[in-house]
């Protein structure tokens, strides 16, 4: 067929790659055993080029977009002898120090796609497995002091050889897991997903030819790079710096050097690694910066290896962003949202007319469990929480939404939660806490009341942005904190943001309160009609309207003038 | 003379199909008349020269509900909900499809916060009252609503799916004190759980209720004045029809009636011609919609969304809607080039005004239709059934502008448009097939709508589909599908029944029996005899604690204890088919789904005798056609109106008939079957 470099053909191949990554995602979600994969969608899929550069990624959550390419590169580096990688092989990684990026619970499968004797691409997916061994059920513990306590470490090992499952490897996996049935189901889901991707890519290669395919992938990266470079022109060159106080521990610092073709994030001047699991791998620090880079430059969906070419991330070995082996990393996700928020904030200080104010910016990971009041079975809730986002240059912030790490993540309806967990959901609406006033106000945070219907429930949370509040822009007001209140039977109220294994009894309430986003712009500039609307709608109490917007005073003046 | 009539209001045209007792079929098209849709219906009846006094049956499908929603032209609506849940409607589910966008904005709720009011009272998930309903505040709330000009009230209380008594009490009190206001409670629409989805469904139903009432009253009034004596039926999104009375009560169920009747028509046609597994694609002016037919049946979902896209979470509507995917790829879809010189087609459409550049009505954007003319697929001298002469200079100008931006020539730009539009449709078909574990190669493509015949063979070849059907009457196919629908209502009830429990059999029986009683009560109130009613039972089952459920069909009658194991096994194998593995875990029913069908007199399509004469008699001429991926060839042009049953020919060819154009690429065989359908086979695949 004529026109090897016909741009339409290249475009069709590129959109087919995207469709293949989406199809891999559907397959993974469809066949997964674990709720955290198929409901919370704590999973992702991707396709890389033959060298491990990201070529396309499926739907899901943005926090996983830049992970899989790093895995493929590590697998390629490790298996570097002829015959190490063969058609039908599938490799497996969860080691954050060796291409696994996140934490041991996230298991990545990668598969080479061969056309004749050459690798033309890789297909890959990542999914949170319920249990990978370690010191506690579920493998994540705030008490962990080294990674060995967080589960078995799989560092780019071969799981399938020439299409056949390596039985011995599989037996090691199942023997070291508390929930081998779930492991088996989730593993086969991952296998189905990489294989679907392989099939689709081969269809494309067979239809258009290997050279055209490879050329299309290369051009796609160039396109990703073009989009980023064009967007980078909108970020004024120069040095950006921010030092930010944290809820606990010493402050964090970031320097971003922006030039016409580079965006260099320097994280070297930061605290030494944590003794517990509050660390992130260097690769994860890069992923976090990639997310921030993408969000502040070009939020369109295209995201591939080319997109991130202008970005460089510098870390110091032995710090929280690049810890020395064998530091624990179970709670990396709260570090990720903090770092993403830090970089975004650093840039937005100088570009307040283009970017929104700070949001509640916490995963608000909430774990509680106990005995179901009606069935007598044990239940456990593992969920992120919804909170308010910051006011933007164009509009009020969005209320009640998951953090920037999440994308297609859904909350659990009260009606489903009541049946599944045997607790009573007494409240699921916005709260009235102060915060977020501005020309464009922050989106409201959410309050959820879970009333226990049986004794001896336990609660574990690790929220940030509880003391240091969401940051405003252009004279807006701070947002409000993320916290949990326990309403005891005697009516007393305790307040928490980080707590482990707290006992909550029948009739007592776990009240989750997430932050309202910060305000953008001076509240005094907000149109009085909008303030009155906010009062009418109860987004503001009358008292808040007077305190933050001087509603009555301004009304009197405008009446007089 | 008596006849059966169906009318379908679309975005651009109002279509009519009628069938007389001897089986002869007539069709008509008039302009849709927004704001006064019944006028378009009366116009098309007049244009066909038929008399409402002769109508034996009359089925009507309308876009009035979806239009009122997307154009934000519904009533001023309010919501009454449970204390503590006022903001559920605004929070939604918290998802963000546009996941790098820090300025993502949620869909704005259809009821502002000050019109969302709470009342105390709680029912548990088990249906037990745990806090009595307190209506003391209701009169003051209603006073506020009156003052604010509220026209319709939705009610959605937490756990009403398991026991609707509190919702019923609120409805009753409102009817007492404010009889004029329009009211709907969530349990009247569905008894599935998930408070956000049910609230939004009730709110949208309330939002369209006054408009739908007025429209249906005007329509039946006009038809009555014109002498129609039969009871009209209204097409629903579940592929059935319903009475006007019921449609007035819960108008939201009309939301996708047009697409539903199209997919239903394809399923019915497939059963008729022995193609039980099919992909249906309806390519219209603005969008392409595709749905899947397996075993002659369409699949329904209750997770339909309005305005959902990669940039928006959309608005959920929890009513049974035919499972389909809709994309912005139709005849009017506009081609454009982004800042990186990449060509895109749609989702913006030139609509009916100004329409494609070829309409000569001032459109300067090149569209799919313009590209099809440039390539020779559409005859500029037989455009829109010969009603207008295509404005060739206008379309050439539009394409030339696009080509300059791309740095190519007009022909290449046109070819690019068609290939990208086709690729978009191929990806949509993959969404409803491969993404659900099915291989499109096992299916037949049934393509209809104005653009169905133009694109069908190219789509099939890309998907590996070997058989294509372009139905006779494909231009008014949705209306035709309505003539084949029965009266159908779906009843859904979320209630968990553990199959391991001692009570399982009794609980299963009781659940279905109570729904069947409710169905019969409704039918008898509408004087529909129970002898005409039949039931289909489905259960949505899952492994304990999982979220995904699988719907399986269940036997009628009393469910004996011995049958439970059989049901469990039935579920396990269905689950394995869909999810590839089985578990030893306990199984539970999550939702009862009862389908109540009352037979109505339907069309029975008649076979046509073989046409005499040679196929050459239908040849109009020949011209050069660029088949895009299949190359440039001199194609034989056939007059479709002269083709008859049994005639056959091979591509390269183009068939032109008043309602549609069929493109037959080289190597494709085409045959007219005994119902007048075009049957196309890829690589000799046609029988």
């Amino acid at each position: 067929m004529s026109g090897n470099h016909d741009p339409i053909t290249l475009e069709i191949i590129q959109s087919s790659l995207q469709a293949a990554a989406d199809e891999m995602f559907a397959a993974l979600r469809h066949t997964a055993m674990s709720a955290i994969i198929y409901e919370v969608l704590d999973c992702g899929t991707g396709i890389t080029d033959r060298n491990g550069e990201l070529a396309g990624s499926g739907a899901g959550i943005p926090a996983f977009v830049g992970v899989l390419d790093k895995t493929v590169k590590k697998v390629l580096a490790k298996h570097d002898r002829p015959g190490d990688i063969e058609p039908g092989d599938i490799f497996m990684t969860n080691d954050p120090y060796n291409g696994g990026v996140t934490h041991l619970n996230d298991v990545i499968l990668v598969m080479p796609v061969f056309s004749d004797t050459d690798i033309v691409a890789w297909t890959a997916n990542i999914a949170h497995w319920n249990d990978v061994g370690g010191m506690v059920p579920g493998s994540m513990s705030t008490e962990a002091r080294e990674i060995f306590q967080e589960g078995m470490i799989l560092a780019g090992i071969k799981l399938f050889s020439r299409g056949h499952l390596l039985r011995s490897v599989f037996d090691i996996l199942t023997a070291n897991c508390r929930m081998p049935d779930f492991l088996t189901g989730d593993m086969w889901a991952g296998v189905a997903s990489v294989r679907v991707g392989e099939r689709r890519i081969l269809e494309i290669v067979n239809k258009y030819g290997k050279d055209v395919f490879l050329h299309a992938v290369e051009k796609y990266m160039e396109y990703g790079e073009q989009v980023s470079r064009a967007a980078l022109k909108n970020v004024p060159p120069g040095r950006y710096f921010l030092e930010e106080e944290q809820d606990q521990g010493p402050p964090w610092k970031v320097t971003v050097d922006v030039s016409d073709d580079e965006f260099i994030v320097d994280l070297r001047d930061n605290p030494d690694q944590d003794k517990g699991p509050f660390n992130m791998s260097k690769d994860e620090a890069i992923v976090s910066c990639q997310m921030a880079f993408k969000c502040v430059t070009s939020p369109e969906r295209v995201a591939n290896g080319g997109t991130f070419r202008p970005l460089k991330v510098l870390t110091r070995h032995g710090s929280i962003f690049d810890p020395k082996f064998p530091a624990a990393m179970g709670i990396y996700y709260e570090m990720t949202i903090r770092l993403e928020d830090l970089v975004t904030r650093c840039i937005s200080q100088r570009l307040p007319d283009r970017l929104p104010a700070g949001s509640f910016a916490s995963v608000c990971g909430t774990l509680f469990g106990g005995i179901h009041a009606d069935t007598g079975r044990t239940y456990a809730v593992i969920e992120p929480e919804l909170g308010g986002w910051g006011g933007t240059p164009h509009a009020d912030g969005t209320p009640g939404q998951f953090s920037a790490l999440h994308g297609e993540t859904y909350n659990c309806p009260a009606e489903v939660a009541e049946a599944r967990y045997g607790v009573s959901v007494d409240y699921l609406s916005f709260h009235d806490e102060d915060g977020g006033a501005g020309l464009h106000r922050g989106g409201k945070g959410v309050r959820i009341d879970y009333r226990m219907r049986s004794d001896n429930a336990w609660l574990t949370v690790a929220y940030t942005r509880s003391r240091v509040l969401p940051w405003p822009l252009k004279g807006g007001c701070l947002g409000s904190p993320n916290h949990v209140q326990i309403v005891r039977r005697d009516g007393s109220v305790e307040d928490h943001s980080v707590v482990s294994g707290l006992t909550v009894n029948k009739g007592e309430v776990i009240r989750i309160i997430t932050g309202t986003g910060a305000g953008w712009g001076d509240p005094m500039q907000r149109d009085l009609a909008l303030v009155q609307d906010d009062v009418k709608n109860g987004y503001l109490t009358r008292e808040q309207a007077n305190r933050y917007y001087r509603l009555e005073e301004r009304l009197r003046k405008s009446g007089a003038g | 003379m008596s006849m059966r009539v169906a009318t379908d209001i679309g975005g651009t045209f109002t279509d009519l199909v009628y069938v007389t007792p001897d089986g002869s079929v007539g069709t008509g098209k008039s302009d849709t008349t927004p704001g006064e849709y019944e006028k378009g219906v009366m116009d098309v009846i007049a244009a066909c020269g038929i008399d409402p006094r002769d109508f034996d049956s009359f089925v009507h499908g309308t876009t009035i509900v979806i239009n009122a929603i997307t154009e934000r032209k519904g009533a001023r609506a309010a919501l009454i909900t449970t204390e503590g849940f006022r903001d559920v409607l605004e929070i939604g589910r918290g998802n963000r499809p546009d996941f790098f966008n820090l300025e993502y904005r949620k869909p704005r709720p259809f009821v502002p916060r000050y019109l969302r009011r709470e009342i105390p009272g709680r029912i548990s998930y088990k249906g037990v009252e745990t806090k009595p309903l307190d209506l003391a505040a209701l009169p003051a709330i209603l006073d506020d609503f009156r003052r604010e000009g509220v026209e319709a009230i939705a009610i959605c209380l937490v756990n009403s799916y398991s026991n609707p008594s509190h919702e019923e009490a609120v409805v009753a009190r409102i009817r007492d004190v404010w009889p004029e206001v329009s009211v709907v409670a969530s349990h009247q629409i569905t008894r599935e759980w998930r408070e956000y989805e049910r609230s939004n469904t009730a709110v949208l139903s309330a939002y369209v209720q006054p408009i739908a009432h007025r429209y249906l009253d005007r329509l039946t009034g006009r038809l009555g004045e014109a002498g129609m004596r039969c009871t009209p039926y209204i097409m629903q999104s579940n592929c059935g029809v319903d009475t006007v009375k019921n449609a007035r009560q819960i108008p939201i169920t009309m939301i996708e009636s047009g697409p539903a009747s199209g997919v239903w028509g394809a399923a019915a046609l497939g059963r008729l011609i022995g193609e039980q597994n099919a992909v249906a694609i309806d390519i219209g002016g603005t969008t392409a919609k595709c749905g899947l037919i397996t075993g002659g049946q369409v699949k329904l979902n209750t997770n339909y969304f309005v305005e959902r896209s990669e940039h928006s979470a959309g608005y959920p509507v929890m009513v049974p809607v035919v499972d389909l995917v809709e994309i912005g790829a139709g005849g009017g879809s506009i081609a454009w080039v982004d800042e990186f010189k990449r060509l895109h087609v749609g989702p913006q459409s030139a609509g009916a005004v100004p329409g494609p550049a070829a309409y000569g009505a001032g459109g300067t954007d090149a569209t799919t239709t313009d590209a099809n003319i440039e390539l020779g697929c559409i005859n500029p001298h037989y455009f829109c059934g010969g009603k207008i002469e295509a404005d060739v200079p206008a379309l050439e100008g539009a394409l030339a502008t696009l080509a300059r931006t791309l740095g190519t020539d007009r022909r290449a730009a046109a070819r690019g448009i068609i290939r990208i539009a086709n690729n978009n449709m191929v990806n949509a078909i993959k969404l409803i097939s491969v993404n659900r574990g099915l291989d499109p190669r096992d299916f037949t493509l049934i393509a209809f709508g104005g653009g169905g015949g133009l694109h069908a063979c190219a789509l099939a070849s890309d998907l590996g589909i070997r058989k294509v059907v372009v139905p006779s009457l494909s231009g008014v196919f949705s209306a035709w599908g309505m003539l084949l629908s029965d009266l159908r209502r779906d009843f859904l009830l979320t209630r968990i029944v553990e199959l391991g429990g001692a009570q399982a059999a009794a609980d299963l029986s009781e659940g279905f029996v109570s729904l069947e009683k409710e169905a019969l009560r409704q039918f008898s109130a509408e004087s529909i005899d129970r002898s005409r009613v039949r039931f289909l039972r489905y259960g949505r089952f899952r492994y304990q604690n999982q979220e995904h459920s699988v719907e399986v069909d269940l036997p009628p009658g009393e469910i004996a204890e011995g049958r439970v194991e059989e049901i469990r096994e039935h579920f396990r194998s269905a689950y394995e088919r869909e999810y590839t593995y089985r578990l030893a875990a306990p199984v539970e029913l999550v939702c009862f789904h009862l389908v109540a069908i009352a037979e109505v007199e339907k069309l029975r399509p008649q076979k046509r005798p073989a046409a005499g004469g040679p196929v050459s008699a239908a040849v109009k001429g020949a011209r050069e056609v660029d088949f895009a991926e299949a190359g440039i060839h001199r194609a034989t042009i056939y007059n479709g109106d002269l083709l008859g049953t049994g005639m056959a020919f091979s591509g390269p060819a183009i068939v032109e008939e008043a309602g549609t154009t069929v493109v037959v690429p080289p190597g494709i065989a085409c045959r007219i079957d005994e119902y007048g359908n075009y049957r196309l086979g890829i690589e000799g695949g046609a029988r």
Side-chain angles (χ1 to χ4, degrees), chain A residues 37 54-55 57 209 291 367 502 505:
Chain A
I37 300 177
L54 188 67
S57 50
M291 251 187 301
L367 294 83
L502 185 73
N505 287 313

Side-chain angles (χ1 to χ4, degrees), chain A residues 533-552:
Chain A
D533 259 4
D534 286 345
V535 172
K536 181 173 185 178
N537 278 306
Y539 294 125
L540 291 172
T541 63
R542 190 156 282 283
E543 187 272 325
Q544 284 167 333
N546 286 326
R547 184 146 45 99
Y548 294 106
Y549 299 91
R550 295 201 206 134
L551 176 62
E552 278 165 25

Side-chain angles (χ1 to χ4, degrees), chain A residues 11 30 207 374 400 414 418, chain B residues 106 122 125 195 343 462 579:
Chain A
E11 218 183 306
H30 210 70
K207 178 165 181 185
D374 301 312
E418 290 199 344
Chain B
K106 291 185 183 196
R122 274 304 284 266
Y125 76 93
E195 66 277 3
L343 176 63
D462 240 13
Y579 296 105

Side-chain angles (χ1 to χ4, degrees), chain B residues 12 91 93 102 113 200 426 505 519 587:
Chain B
T12 315
I91 293 170
R93 299 291 301 277
L102 296 179
R113 196 169 194 243
N200 196 66
V426 162
V587 174

Side-chain angles (χ1 to χ4, degrees), chain B residues 657-674:
Chain B
E657 58 169 77
T660 194
T661 298
V662 183
V663 172
V664 189
I668 306 289
C670 178
R671 174 175 69 80
I672 315 301
D673 74 8
E674 56 271 51

